[in-house]
Amino acid sequence: MTQPTPLTIDAQPAPFTLDPAKTALVVIDMQRDFIEPGGFGESLGNDVSLLAEIVPTVVALLAFARRHQWLVVHTRESHAADLSDCPPAKRLRGAPNARIGDAGPMGRILIRGEPGNAIIEPLAPLAGELVIDKPGKGAFYATRLGEELAMRSVTHLVFAGVTTEVCVQTSMREANDRGYDSLLIEDATASYFPAFKQATLEMVRSQGGIVGWTAPLSSLTKLDETIPAWR
Ligand code: C5J
Protein backbone atom coordinates (compact mmCIF):
# COMPACT_ATOMS: atom_id res chain seq x y z
CA MET A 1 0.00 0.00 0.00
CA THR A 2 1.33 3.44 -0.93
CA GLN A 3 1.70 5.83 1.97
CA PRO A 4 -1.29 8.25 2.22
CA THR A 5 -0.39 11.87 1.54
CA PRO A 6 -2.08 14.98 2.94
CA LEU A 7 -5.13 15.95 0.89
CA THR A 8 -6.71 19.35 0.50
CA ILE A 9 -10.40 20.08 0.21
CA ASP A 10 -12.32 23.26 -0.61
CA ALA A 11 -13.48 24.81 2.65
CA GLN A 12 -14.01 28.12 4.40
CA PRO A 13 -12.20 30.27 5.38
CA ALA A 14 -9.42 28.48 3.48
CA PRO A 15 -8.66 25.04 2.04
CA PHE A 16 -8.56 22.28 4.70
CA THR A 17 -5.67 19.86 4.52
CA LEU A 18 -6.03 16.46 6.14
CA ASP A 19 -4.03 13.30 6.38
CA PRO A 20 -6.56 10.55 5.65
CA ALA A 21 -4.66 8.11 7.85
CA LYS A 22 -4.96 10.47 10.84
CA THR A 23 -8.53 11.69 10.40
CA ALA A 24 -11.63 10.65 12.35
CA LEU A 25 -15.29 11.39 11.78
CA VAL A 26 -17.15 12.51 14.91
CA VAL A 27 -20.95 12.34 14.70
CA ILE A 28 -22.49 14.22 17.58
CA ASP A 29 -25.68 13.15 19.37
CA MET A 30 -27.82 11.83 16.50
CA GLN A 31 -30.09 10.27 19.11
CA ARG A 32 -33.78 9.43 18.87
CA ASP A 33 -34.89 11.86 21.57
CA PHE A 34 -33.52 14.84 19.63
CA ILE A 35 -34.49 13.81 16.10
CA GLU A 36 -37.54 11.54 15.95
CA PRO A 37 -41.12 12.77 16.12
CA GLY A 38 -42.60 11.82 19.48
CA GLY A 39 -39.33 12.28 21.37
CA PHE A 40 -38.08 14.65 24.05
CA GLY A 41 -37.05 17.35 21.55
CA GLU A 42 -40.47 17.53 19.99
CA SER A 43 -42.16 17.45 23.40
CA LEU A 44 -40.40 20.76 24.13
CA GLY A 45 -42.08 22.30 21.09
CA ASN A 46 -39.14 22.00 18.68
CA ASP A 47 -39.58 21.28 14.97
CA VAL A 48 -37.60 18.04 14.75
CA SER A 49 -37.92 17.93 10.95
CA LEU A 50 -35.11 20.52 10.86
CA LEU A 51 -32.83 17.91 12.39
CA ALA A 52 -34.26 14.92 10.52
CA GLU A 53 -33.55 16.55 7.16
CA ILE A 54 -29.77 16.13 7.56
CA VAL A 55 -30.03 12.35 8.11
CA PRO A 56 -29.45 11.37 4.43
CA THR A 57 -26.36 13.60 4.32
CA VAL A 58 -25.00 12.09 7.53
CA VAL A 59 -25.68 8.61 6.11
CA ALA A 60 -23.60 9.57 3.04
CA LEU A 61 -20.85 11.06 5.21
CA LEU A 62 -20.68 7.89 7.31
CA ALA A 63 -20.50 5.80 4.16
CA PHE A 64 -17.59 7.96 2.94
CA ALA A 65 -15.71 7.59 6.24
CA ARG A 66 -16.29 3.83 6.32
CA ARG A 67 -15.21 3.47 2.70
CA HIS A 68 -11.93 5.17 3.52
CA GLN A 69 -11.48 3.31 6.81
CA TRP A 70 -11.47 6.40 8.97
CA LEU A 71 -12.07 5.98 12.66
CA VAL A 72 -15.77 6.71 13.25
CA VAL A 73 -16.89 8.14 16.59
CA HIS A 74 -20.53 8.49 17.62
CA THR A 75 -21.49 10.44 20.73
CA ARG A 76 -24.63 10.44 22.84
CA GLU A 77 -25.51 13.09 25.40
CA SER A 78 -26.39 10.81 28.27
CA HIS A 79 -26.28 10.35 32.02
CA ALA A 80 -26.06 7.48 34.47
CA ALA A 81 -29.41 6.21 35.76
CA ASP A 82 -28.62 7.50 39.27
CA LEU A 83 -27.72 10.95 37.82
CA SER A 84 -24.37 10.84 39.62
CA ASP A 85 -22.77 12.46 36.55
CA CYS A 86 -25.41 15.18 36.16
CA PRO A 87 -24.68 18.37 38.08
CA PRO A 88 -27.82 19.78 39.74
CA ALA A 89 -27.26 23.04 37.86
CA LYS A 90 -27.70 21.16 34.56
CA ARG A 91 -30.67 19.12 35.74
CA LEU A 92 -32.56 22.04 37.25
CA ARG A 93 -32.36 24.14 34.11
CA GLY A 94 -34.93 23.66 31.34
CA ALA A 95 -38.62 22.85 31.32
CA PRO A 96 -39.75 22.09 34.92
CA ASN A 97 -41.70 18.97 33.89
CA ALA A 98 -39.10 17.64 31.44
CA ARG A 99 -35.81 17.49 33.31
CA ILE A 100 -32.93 15.07 32.76
CA GLY A 101 -33.93 11.77 34.39
CA ASP A 102 -37.68 12.48 34.30
CA ALA A 103 -40.01 10.11 32.48
CA GLY A 104 -40.20 11.28 28.85
CA PRO A 105 -42.05 10.04 25.78
CA MET A 106 -39.21 7.60 24.92
CA GLY A 107 -38.12 6.64 28.41
CA ARG A 108 -36.19 8.61 31.02
CA ILE A 109 -34.81 11.77 29.45
CA LEU A 110 -31.09 11.60 28.48
CA ILE A 111 -30.50 8.44 30.52
CA ARG A 112 -28.13 5.79 29.14
CA GLY A 113 -29.89 2.70 27.83
CA GLU A 114 -33.32 4.32 27.52
CA PRO A 115 -34.95 3.98 24.06
CA GLY A 116 -34.81 7.71 23.36
CA ASN A 117 -31.07 7.79 24.07
CA ALA A 118 -30.25 5.39 21.22
CA ILE A 119 -28.67 6.64 18.01
CA ILE A 120 -31.26 6.68 15.24
CA GLU A 121 -31.43 3.45 13.28
CA PRO A 122 -30.11 4.74 9.88
CA LEU A 123 -26.91 5.92 11.62
CA ALA A 124 -26.47 2.96 13.96
CA PRO A 125 -22.81 2.40 14.91
CA LEU A 126 -21.06 -0.58 13.36
CA ALA A 127 -18.83 -3.00 15.26
CA GLY A 128 -15.44 -1.41 15.83
CA GLU A 129 -16.73 2.17 15.84
CA LEU A 130 -16.41 4.20 19.02
CA VAL A 131 -19.53 5.17 20.94
CA ILE A 132 -18.85 7.88 23.51
CA ASP A 133 -21.42 8.61 26.21
CA LYS A 134 -20.90 12.17 27.30
CA PRO A 135 -22.45 13.84 30.33
CA GLY A 136 -21.60 17.31 29.03
CA LYS A 137 -22.22 19.22 25.86
CA GLY A 138 -18.63 18.70 24.72
CA ALA A 139 -17.42 15.30 23.53
CA PHE A 140 -14.12 15.53 25.45
CA TYR A 141 -15.40 16.55 28.89
CA ALA A 142 -15.47 13.58 31.30
CA THR A 143 -15.06 11.03 28.47
CA ARG A 144 -12.25 8.82 27.14
CA LEU A 145 -12.37 10.46 23.68
CA GLY A 146 -9.02 12.28 24.01
CA GLU A 147 -7.21 9.07 24.98
CA GLU A 148 -8.89 7.07 22.20
CA LEU A 149 -7.83 9.61 19.56
CA ALA A 150 -4.29 9.89 20.95
CA MET A 151 -3.89 6.09 20.90
CA ARG A 152 -4.65 6.17 17.17
CA SER A 153 -2.50 9.27 16.43
CA VAL A 154 -5.56 11.17 15.12
CA THR A 155 -4.81 14.82 14.30
CA HIS A 156 -7.81 15.90 12.18
CA LEU A 157 -11.51 15.68 13.02
CA VAL A 158 -14.49 15.96 10.72
CA PHE A 159 -17.66 16.89 12.61
CA ALA A 160 -21.36 16.33 11.96
CA GLY A 161 -24.48 16.07 14.10
CA VAL A 162 -26.74 18.07 16.34
CA THR A 163 -27.24 20.62 17.56
CA THR A 164 -24.84 22.90 15.70
CA GLU A 165 -24.65 25.65 18.28
CA VAL A 166 -24.69 23.46 21.40
CA CYS A 167 -22.99 20.05 21.41
CA VAL A 168 -21.32 20.30 18.00
CA GLN A 169 -19.82 23.72 18.58
CA THR A 170 -18.78 22.89 22.16
CA SER A 171 -17.03 19.74 20.95
CA MET A 172 -15.24 21.64 18.19
CA ARG A 173 -14.05 24.25 20.65
CA GLU A 174 -12.79 21.52 22.98
CA ALA A 175 -11.00 19.90 20.02
CA ASN A 176 -9.43 23.24 19.07
CA ASP A 177 -8.04 23.70 22.57
CA ARG A 178 -6.56 20.19 22.39
CA GLY A 179 -4.71 20.87 19.15
CA TYR A 180 -6.96 19.18 16.59
CA ASP A 181 -7.76 20.69 13.21
CA SER A 182 -11.53 20.37 12.75
CA LEU A 183 -13.83 20.59 9.76
CA LEU A 184 -17.59 20.94 10.21
CA ILE A 185 -19.72 19.52 7.40
CA GLU A 186 -22.28 22.27 6.80
CA ASP A 187 -25.12 20.13 5.45
CA ALA A 188 -24.55 17.36 8.00
CA THR A 189 -25.31 19.51 11.03
CA ALA A 190 -28.55 21.12 12.17
CA SER A 191 -30.23 23.16 14.85
CA TYR A 192 -33.83 23.66 15.93
CA PHE A 193 -33.00 27.33 15.27
CA PRO A 194 -31.68 27.88 11.70
CA ALA A 195 -30.30 31.30 12.58
CA PHE A 196 -28.21 29.71 15.35
CA LYS A 197 -26.81 27.17 12.88
CA GLN A 198 -25.87 29.91 10.45
CA ALA A 199 -24.29 32.02 13.19
CA THR A 200 -22.29 29.02 14.39
CA LEU A 201 -20.92 28.27 10.93
CA GLU A 202 -19.82 31.87 10.67
CA MET A 203 -18.33 31.90 14.19
CA VAL A 204 -16.34 28.71 13.62
CA ARG A 205 -14.67 29.98 10.45
CA SER A 206 -14.33 33.64 11.46
CA GLN A 207 -10.96 35.31 12.08
CA GLY A 208 -9.09 32.89 9.86
CA GLY A 209 -10.78 29.80 11.30
CA ILE A 210 -10.69 30.60 14.99
CA VAL A 211 -12.36 27.27 15.80
CA GLY A 212 -11.96 25.42 12.50
CA TRP A 213 -13.18 25.07 8.95
CA THR A 214 -16.57 24.44 7.30
CA ALA A 215 -17.45 22.81 3.97
CA PRO A 216 -20.37 21.05 2.32
CA LEU A 217 -20.25 17.26 2.05
CA SER A 218 -19.66 17.54 -1.72
CA SER A 219 -16.23 19.11 -1.08
CA LEU A 220 -15.24 16.10 1.00
CA THR A 221 -16.62 13.44 -1.31
CA LYS A 222 -14.57 14.92 -4.16
CA LEU A 223 -11.71 13.14 -2.37
CA ASP A 224 -13.21 9.87 -3.62
CA GLU A 225 -11.49 10.71 -6.88
CA THR A 226 -8.10 11.03 -5.15
CA ILE A 227 -7.96 8.76 -2.12
CA PRO A 228 -8.22 5.38 -3.87
CA ALA A 229 -4.93 6.20 -5.57
CA TRP A 230 -3.27 6.16 -2.16
CA ARG A 231 -4.76 2.88 -0.92
C1 C5J B 1 -27.05 18.81 21.90
C2 C5J B 1 -28.49 19.95 23.40
N1 C5J B 1 -26.72 17.60 21.49
N2 C5J B 1 -29.01 20.74 22.47
N3 C5J B 1 -27.76 18.88 23.05
O1 C5J B 1 -26.76 19.80 21.26
O2 C5J B 1 -28.70 20.16 24.55
Side-chain angles (χ1 to χ4, degrees):
M1 185 171 84
T2 313
Q3 194 64 26
T5 290
L7 298 166
T8 299
I9 74 161
D10 292 335
Q12 292 190 65
F16 181 75
T17 299
L18 59 79
D19 179 342
K22 294 183 178 175
T23 301
L25 171 64
V26 184
V27 183
I28 300 286
D29 298 359
M30 293 295 285
Q31 49 206 73
R32 295 184 62 204
D33 251 336
F34 292 147
I35 293 162
E36 289 186 3
F40 167 54
E42 190 175 66
S43 76
L44 296 178
N46 295 306
D47 176 2
V48 294
S49 72
L50 291 165
L51 272 52
E53 71 189 17
I54 66 165
V55 172
T57 313
V58 184
V59 167
L61 174 59
L62 264 174
F64 174 90
R66 288 168 178 161
R67 209 159 50 240
H68 296 293
Q69 295 158 40
W70 288 3
L71 172 68
V72 175
V73 181
H74 306 258
T75 70
R76 296 183 290 223
E77 186 175 353
S78 68
H79 293 275
D82 64 2
L83 297 176
S84 53
D85 58 1
C86 183
K90 183 178 183 190
R91 176 169 149 72
L92 295 176
R93 237 176 295 127
N97 54 353
R99 293 194 163 129
I100 295 168
D102 288 353
M106 291 185 181
R108 290 181 68 203
I109 296 166
L110 296 191
I111 299 297
R112 258 163 243 151
E114 295 289 331
N117 203 231
I119 291 168
I120 59 169
E121 197 278 329
L123 306 177
L126 298 184
E129 297 179 349
L130 284 181
V131 179
I132 300 288
D133 283 303
K134 60 183 185 58
K137 302 303 184 198
F140 289 85
Y141 169 71
T143 73
R144 64 182 200 287
L145 179 59
E147 288 77 10
E148 296 279 3
L149 297 178
M151 258 167 29
R152 294 165 174 86
S153 304
V154 170
T155 55
H156 290 69
L157 300 175
V158 174
F159 278 92
V162 297
T163 60
T164 317
E165 76 281 11
V166 185
C167 292
V168 175
Q169 179 171 209
T170 304
S171 300
M172 283 189 76
R173 288 178 183 274
E174 286 184 330
N176 183 50
D177 287 346
R178 286 163 176 77
Y180 295 94
D181 281 332
S182 297
L183 172 71
L184 176 56
I185 302 299
E186 295 158 6
D187 41 352
T189 184
S191 169
Y192 298 125
F193 308 99
F196 289 178
K197 169 178 171 175
Q198 191 53 36
T200 302
L201 295 178
E202 286 168 25
M203 266 185 250
V204 161
R205 62 196 181 210
S206 68
Q207 300 180 70
I210 196 158
V211 176
W213 287 255
T214 78
L217 179 62
S218 57
S219 292
L220 188 65
T221 53
K222 271 191 208 146
L223 292 184
D224 271 331
E225 295 153 24
T226 317
I227 292 181
W230 302 104
R231 295 235 171 239

